Amino acid sequence: MNQADVIEEPVTPSPLTPRRTSKRWLMSAALITAIVALPVFSVAWLALFPEENIWPHLLDTTLPRYVWTTLLLMVGVSAITLSIGLSTAWAVTMCNFPGRKMFEWALLLPFAVPAYVIAYVYTDLLQYAGPIQGALRDWFGWTTARDYWFPDIRSLWGATLMLGLVLYPYVYLLARAAFLDQSPSLFSVSRSLGHSALSTFFRVVLPIARPAVAVGLSLVLMETLNDFGTVDFFAVQTLTAGLFDTWMNLGNLGGAAQIAMIMLTFVVILVTLERYSRRRQQQYAGRDSRAPIQRFSMSRPRQWICVAVCAAPIILGFIVPAVVLGRYAAIYFDQSWTGDFVENTLNSLSLSGAAAFTTLTIGLILAYSRRLHDTRPMQVMMRLSSLGYAMPGAVLAVGVIVPMAAFDNQLDAWMRDWFGISTGLLFSGTAFALIFAYTVRFLAVSAGSLESGLQKITPSMDMAARSLGRSTTATLLQVHLPMLRGTMLTAALVVFVDTMKELPATLILRPFNFDTLATHVYQYASDEMLGISALPALIIVLAGIVPIILMSRSIGSARAYSQQ
Amino acid sequence: MKMKLAAAVAACAVTLAPLPAAASGEVNIYSYRQEFLLKPLLDAFTEDTGIETNVVFAKKGLAERLEREGRNSPADVVMTVDISRISELVDRDLTASVDNETLEANIPENLRHPDGKWFALTTRGRMIFTSLDRVEEGEITSYEELADPEWENRICTRSGKHPYNIALISSMIAHHGAEEAEQWLEGVKNNLARKPQGGDRDQIKAVAEGVCDVAIGNSYYYGVMLQDDEQRPIAEQVRIVFPNDEGRGTHINISGIALTQSAPNRDNAIKLMEYLSSDEAQQIYAEANNEFPANPDVSPTGIVAEWGELNADTLSLQTIAENANDAVRMVDRVDYDNP
């Protein structure tokens, strides 16, 4: 069998499948999937019982607009996140320019800014009473809004831009990790065969990075699809807006669940298509991938172009919001400083830490089981367990409540019958419910990136370890984990920061008298009090920065570590 | 899996404290209103009675949580804004009847459920705001006039789908019938100066900025803007008009409270409801949030009193809730949000 055959036809059954050991991995993966997919199935269940059939009304009126707007938003956000994410990831990985090391982590900063916060900030900045229009009026002597035209940020393009600015770090993060993992020799070979740097990027580098970029982009698209805060504030009528309209205004939870299922189907089709289109590709990191990267040295003007390309998204996505929030935080400090801040910050940090840990552990079990048992059922389980991300947070929260409260009440009923004691609600309304919801929601992040990380490790590693007598678990711990360190940190970082920002599920599921930074911000922002919400919003952003910097450094050093 | 369990156990241990306890001296609140709006009241209640209050605030999903938690739900009362939200709880049979003399004496009949399944605590008017410069006093005095062609390209509102606008449209349906109400809504849509967006305050701002001359908004937002140093100059360029003051009265909505079916601390919950309807609490509540007290013995103070007396539309709030579904569909048919 020659090399080409191996690449064309993935070997089935997987050579890694343990023969003698029990199907422990498969069983635990199945169990996890069953638990984690419960909320999604609950929503599917709710969709079977609508209060009334909403579709005739929706089809007659708003549905075409919802679908069209959603598609435009997704295309726009993809374009922005891909162009910013890929160009900056490439620049900081392969080019030498002033500030490169700082940009490596600074490019992640906009990630700490929640989309609803950046939407508030830019509205404030670009509105009539804001500094920009004020300055224009002063220069040109205009007196009212009717004297001139000014682009309206509260529009589809505004929402596209806002989401693009805070979501591009997904693409950046995964693309950069992929570029770092690529064998520099591939690049040299392509160049020596006469391809320009640009052509090499599109013909060699990007196709190899494609699985990782696809994971990043699918995260972006799912976030876009289930965003409610921004589109609601900007009055952009997407499917999610229609979903909440059906739920809250028409009082039709079942109908809303149906819309959620359609959105889910949409995501599944998208992801499947992407996978199908590269079904014949299989790549493993070559043996020489740990050769140091040779960065381009460039002319001065080119270096400054790199600086500009990297600085622009940071300024727009982080510095501007931070300055605006900082100003408000200073003005409204006395009104907004309450003693709860420390507690809220601790709540946010510990929930995020717990969510990152559980998500990573479970994601690893799933991704490794998938590696061991590369079978159709395992692939289906993998997809099922990642569906939570494609659902708006509030809908997912209801999906969490349904099985959890049913379990609690059933247990309570049994205990009452048998022992005459009431256990009440054991899990509902506790931090456990929150961590469970975060795990369901963000498992796509960790499982997806770990899966693509594992794919890059050649099976011969496993074969060597196993033939040397290591068990599957020992192979994972001693061989894969060290090689996956960068990927794991990336996944943990994303989940951590995402949990910090998570709002709708937290609001609905939290215990009494329990606030996180995000719910604290929302309390005031939802009453149209941006001034007072600025300080906690700023703290979310700042609290997100620390793990971002720490983990970004570790990602860099993970590569250095594996080079040793 | 072991690690997940360990994390879960740790997490539970951390939060065992706020778990529902049927112990006396507590009342648990699911609130659709922001905690900070309730805090002064709840603090005063605790001081008066020694009963501690626990709150979960969310704008959606609490009805589902209450329903699914069933008989074990820790929630004693639900506090909401908007009549549709509170009626939804009654429709799903999540609220219990309260037969209580104090509450019945304090809250007028049209502001509570006939069987005591909810009680209004405050009311707010859906007001018209006009530019001081560009609109004469008395030039517009009713909701009906918002559809007049003279206001073409001069009106700003938030999304037609927002519950406050839905309730207003529901009241128009009740007063004029569905057909006439739809024509009216078409008329208002044709008069919009821009695509509906933002919140109520943004509409008031838009009037001050000259984007439009007339806006619709709830009374208390205007009050809050007048109390805010940064926003006062904006609010001062705008006049508040009590619509239909001469006729059937201004459309009002409520914030209210309901006892849950499952309330583990029923007695404390009723004490809280009684307290919130009392003169003392009504004064704090209305003053802090610039709303109108539901208790007729308490008169508004401060800014709200300066606006003059509210002649509220006496249309049954129940009717408004019943029309809400039709109102939402009407907004979709008219395609109000896309002028």
Side-chain angles (χ1 to χ4, degrees):
Chain A
M1 197 188 268
N2 63 31
Q3 189 67 16
D5 287 335
V6 175
I7 290 168
E8 288 275 302
E9 300 282 327
V11 187
T12 47
S14 163
L16 307 179
T17 311
R19 285 167 205 282
R20 280 177 301 132
T21 48
S22 67
K23 302 221 164 185
R24 229 170 349 124
W25 286 100
L26 194 61
M27 296 312 287
S28 40
L31 185 67
I32 287 169
T33 309
I35 295 172
V36 165
L38 262 182
V40 175
F41 284 126
S42 303
V43 175
W45 174 256
L46 290 173
L48 298 177
F49 306 101
E51 276 71 9
E52 58 180 314
N53 183 4
I54 43 151
W55 295 100
H57 171 74
L58 282 184
L59 282 169
D60 271 356
T61 54
T62 41
L63 193 68
R65 185 191 307 278
Y66 289 158
V67 174
W68 181 235
T69 312
T70 307
L71 286 175
L72 285 180
L73 187 68
M74 290 172 78
V75 169
V77 174
S78 304
I80 293 179
T81 50
L82 279 181
S83 44
I84 299 180
L86 290 176
S87 61
T88 52
W90 182 245
V92 298
T93 314
M94 294 301 290
C95 307
N96 256 327
F97 57 93
R100 189 192 65 80
K101 271 206 128 33
M102 179 204 59
F103 283 121
E104 269 184 0
W105 57 264
L107 276 162
L108 289 169
L109 292 177
F111 193 38
V113 184
Y116 48 86
V117 168
I118 199 173
Y120 288 134
V121 163
Y122 272 93
T123 308
D124 192 68
L125 207 59
L126 297 177
Q127 69 184 354
Y128 179 85
I132 293 176
Q133 289 203 46
L136 286 174
R137 280 197 300 276
D138 284 350
W139 282 339
F140 295 102
W142 297 321
T143 50
T144 79
R146 298 200 173 193
D147 294 345
Y148 59 98
W149 178 85
F150 192 81
D152 188 1
I153 183 82
R154 280 197 283 228
S155 58
L156 179 60
W157 75 262
T160 312
L161 193 64
M162 295 298 102
L163 288 170
L165 278 176
V166 293
L167 294 178
Y168 83 82
Y170 282 117
V171 175
Y172 165 78
L173 200 56
L174 286 149
R176 181 176 154 234
F179 293 158
L180 279 173
D181 276 347
Q182 272 180 27
S183 165
S185 53
L186 283 174
F187 192 81
S188 322
V189 169
S190 166
R191 293 301 303 273
S192 68
L193 289 173
H195 281 291
S196 69
L198 200 65
S199 147
T200 303
F201 178 76
F202 283 108
R203 286 169 171 245
V204 177
V205 176
L206 206 51
I208 295 180
R210 187 168 144 187
V213 174
V215 171
L217 188 63
S218 67
L219 295 178
V220 168
L221 287 178
M222 288 196 256
E223 287 265 355
T224 306
L225 197 60
N226 64 36
D227 170 84
F228 181 63
T230 315
V231 296
D232 182 51
F233 189 60
F234 283 179
V236 174
Q237 296 148 40
T238 61
L239 272 172
T240 309
L243 184 159
F244 284 107
D245 192 40
T246 306
W247 177 10
M248 300 307 286
N249 281 333
L250 291 174
N252 189 344
L253 179 61
Q258 289 176 348
I259 301 181
M261 293 322 286
I262 290 187
M263 288 163 59
L264 205 61
T265 315
F266 200 60
V267 171
V268 171
I269 292 175
L270 216 65
V271 172
T272 313
L273 275 182
E274 197 280 329
R275 281 172 186 271
Y276 183 77
S277 69
R278 57 178 162 88
R279 68 195 178 284
R280 289 188 180 278
Q281 300 176 6
Q282 184 64 273
Q283 321 139 356
Y284 304 112
R287 227 166 296 150
D288 61 344
S289 71
R290 300 304 167 189
I293 289 174
Q294 300 290 328
R295 292 202 175 83
F296 307 136
S297 31
M298 295 182 299
S299 63
R300 263 296 138 114
R302 285 192 174 201
Q303 289 187 16
W304 288 113
I305 290 174
C306 280
V307 172
V309 165
C310 292
I314 303 172
I315 292 171
L316 293 174
F318 179 76
I319 295 180
V320 169
V323 168
V324 172
L325 290 177
R327 183 176 152 266
Y328 272 117
I331 296 176
Y332 287 89
F333 187 80
D334 291 336
Q335 278 166 277
S336 49
W337 176 259
T338 65
D340 307 335
F341 269 149
V342 179
E343 196 191 324
N344 296 348
T345 310
L346 284 178
N347 284 343
S348 282
L349 291 176
S350 48
L351 280 179
S352 305
F357 178 76
T358 15
T359 321
L360 203 63
T361 312
I362 292 180
L364 194 63
I365 296 176
L366 285 177
Y368 191 58
S369 308
R370 160 86 210 272
R371 182 177 179 83
L372 294 176
H373 303 267
D374 196 11
T375 56
R376 184 47 62 87
M378 192 56 231
Q379 288 165 16
V380 171
M381 285 200 280
M382 216 43 210
R383 298 284 80 75
L384 272 181
S385 61
S386 300
L387 288 178
Y389 203 66
M391 232 176 228
V395 179
L396 185 75
V398 175
V400 168
I401 289 174
V402 171
M404 197 173 268
F407 174 83
D408 284 344
N409 280 318
Q410 194 59 52
L411 185 71
D412 177 70
W414 283 336
M415 295 301 273
R416 282 188 206 218
D417 286 351
W418 293 345
F419 304 106
I421 48 168
S422 166
T423 49
L425 299 176
L426 210 53
F427 295 116
S428 308
T430 65
F432 175 80
L434 284 175
I435 294 171
F436 179 62
Y438 297 144
T439 307
V440 172
R441 184 156 178 69
F442 299 125
L443 192 56
V445 175
S446 70
S449 34
L450 287 169
E451 191 185 4
S452 79
L454 273 173
Q455 270 172 10
K456 285 206 229 73
I457 300 176
T458 165
S460 50
M461 290 279 190
D462 302 52
M463 294 172 198
R466 299 271 290 286
S467 62
L468 289 169
R470 292 289 183 280
S471 69
T472 45
T473 314
T475 310
L476 175 67
L477 294 178
Q478 294 168 9
V479 178
H480 292 118
L481 282 197
M483 295 179 74
L484 279 175
R485 208 173 136 219
T487 313
M488 286 171 59
L489 284 164
T490 308
L493 156 71
V494 175
V495 176
F496 188 92
V497 179
D498 262 340
T499 309
M500 289 282 295
K501 300 186 292 182
E502 208 289 331
L503 181 62
T506 314
L507 274 176
I508 297 175
L509 296 172
R510 64 195 164 138
F512 283 105
N513 308 329
F514 185 91
D515 261 305
T516 64
L517 289 170
T519 65
H520 190 92
V521 170
Y522 178 71
Q523 225 200 111
Y524 291 96
S526 64
D527 200 45
E528 305 179 13
M529 300 169 83
L530 178 62
I532 298 186
S533 65
L535 183 62
L538 195 62
I539 297 179
I540 294 189
V541 173
L542 295 178
I545 293 180
V546 179
I548 284 177
I549 294 178
L550 283 180
M551 295 199 212
S552 171
R553 290 192 162 187
S554 317
I555 294 166
S557 64
R559 189 184 154 79
Y561 164 86
S562 44
Q563 277 170 18
Q564 285 162 6
Chain B
M1 209 50 212
K2 267 184 204 149
M3 293 204 236
K4 184 191 167 193
L5 277 178
V9 169
C12 284
V14 173
T15 49
L16 270 177
L19 267 177
S24 63
E26 268 194 329
V27 57
N28 297 323
I29 303 165
Y30 280 0
S31 173
Y32 285 90
R33 294 208 90 175
Q34 291 84 349
E35 293 134 285
F36 76 91
L37 294 176
L38 305 175
K39 199 166 186 307
L41 280 171
L42 298 180
D43 286 352
F45 172 70
T46 305
E47 200 161 301
D48 262 24
T49 60
I51 299 171
E52 299 286 335
T53 57
N54 304 313
V55 185
V56 176
F57 150 70
K59 287 221 161 179
K60 48 176 92 77
L62 288 180
E64 282 73 17
R65 179 165 166 184
L66 184 63
E67 187 173 16
R68 298 289 164 174
E69 287 174 339
R71 67 169 172 178
N72 284 313
S73 176
D76 297 303
V77 294
V78 180
M79 298 184 75
T80 74
V81 283
D82 185 48
I83 181 62
S84 296
R85 199 96 308 135
I86 209 161
S87 299
E88 183 193 6
L89 298 171
V90 177
D91 292 346
R92 296 202 199 177
D93 202 23
L94 297 172
T95 64
S97 291
V98 177
D99 189 12
N100 180 289
E101 279 176 18
T102 313
L103 281 164
E104 278 158 25
N106 285 343
I107 309 291
E109 220 173 332
N110 67 319
L111 293 180
R112 56 181 150 90
H113 186 269
D115 301 330
K117 290 192 168 180
W118 54 258
F119 295 84
L121 295 175
T122 56
T123 66
R124 57 284 286 289
R126 194 93 186 121
M127 303 302 184
I128 293 177
F129 296 92
T130 62
S131 161
L132 276 182
D133 306 334
R134 300 182 300 278
V135 180
E136 296 285 322
E137 185 151 17
E139 218 180 319
I140 182 162
T141 56
S142 70
Y143 300 114
E144 283 75 6
E145 286 167 85
L146 289 168
D148 289 352
E150 66 171 301
W151 301 109
E152 194 180 342
N153 214 14
R154 296 173 72 185
I155 295 179
C156 282
T157 76
R158 76 194 305 169
S159 163
K161 294 286 190 67
H162 192 273
Y164 299 154
N165 282 340
I166 292 296
L168 174 62
I169 297 164
S170 303
S171 85
M172 292 300 282
I173 296 176
H175 286 298
H176 297 288
E179 207 169 310
E180 211 175 303
E182 188 154 342
Q183 279 166 13
W184 170 78
L185 191 63
E186 285 274 6
V188 181
K189 179 192 169 188
N190 290 336
N191 289 344
L192 289 174
R194 65 172 182 188
K195 189 174 148 64
Q197 54 184 272
D200 277 358
R201 284 191 217 210
D202 295 309
Q203 314 313 319
I204 297 174
K205 281 187 199 163
V207 171
E209 291 158 4
V211 177
C212 38
D213 298 337
V214 176
I216 305 177
N218 278 358
S219 44
Y220 56 85
Y221 286 115
Y222 184 60
V224 181
M225 288 177 79
L226 285 171
Q227 286 170 341
D228 182 306
D229 287 342
E230 283 228 327
Q231 295 183 353
R232 191 180 307 114
I234 300 170
E236 280 172 347
Q237 298 175 47
V238 176
R239 176 190 301 120
I240 181 168
V241 177
F242 285 35
N244 301 66
D245 194 45
E246 300 288 317
R248 63 172 186 265
T250 301
H251 162 71
I252 55 161
N253 209 326
I254 55 158
S255 76
I257 190 165
L259 182 74
T260 67
Q261 287 274 11
S262 53
N265 309 297
R266 201 187 149 90
D267 294 344
N268 290 346
I270 291 177
K271 273 188 204 147
L272 176 67
M273 294 170 81
E274 286 178 347
Y275 174 77
L276 291 176
S277 73
S278 71
D279 293 6
E280 182 195 346
Q282 287 277 301
Q283 201 77 55
I284 307 178
Y285 206 177
E287 214 167 298
N289 303 336
N290 298 298
E291 289 174 280
F292 297 97
N295 184 336
D297 296 340
V298 181
S299 40
T301 47
I303 300 174
V304 179
E306 283 170 29
W307 296 339
E309 199 160 323
L310 173 72
N311 168 24
D313 187 349
T314 51
L315 175 69
S316 144
L317 290 162
Q318 209 66 42
T319 312
I320 291 179
E322 281 159 17
N323 287 342
N325 200 314
D326 290 339
V328 174
R329 287 161 185 267
M330 192 177 284
V331 171
D332 277 343
R333 273 197 305 277
V334 170
D335 204 10
Y336 181 85
D337 285 348
N338 299 285

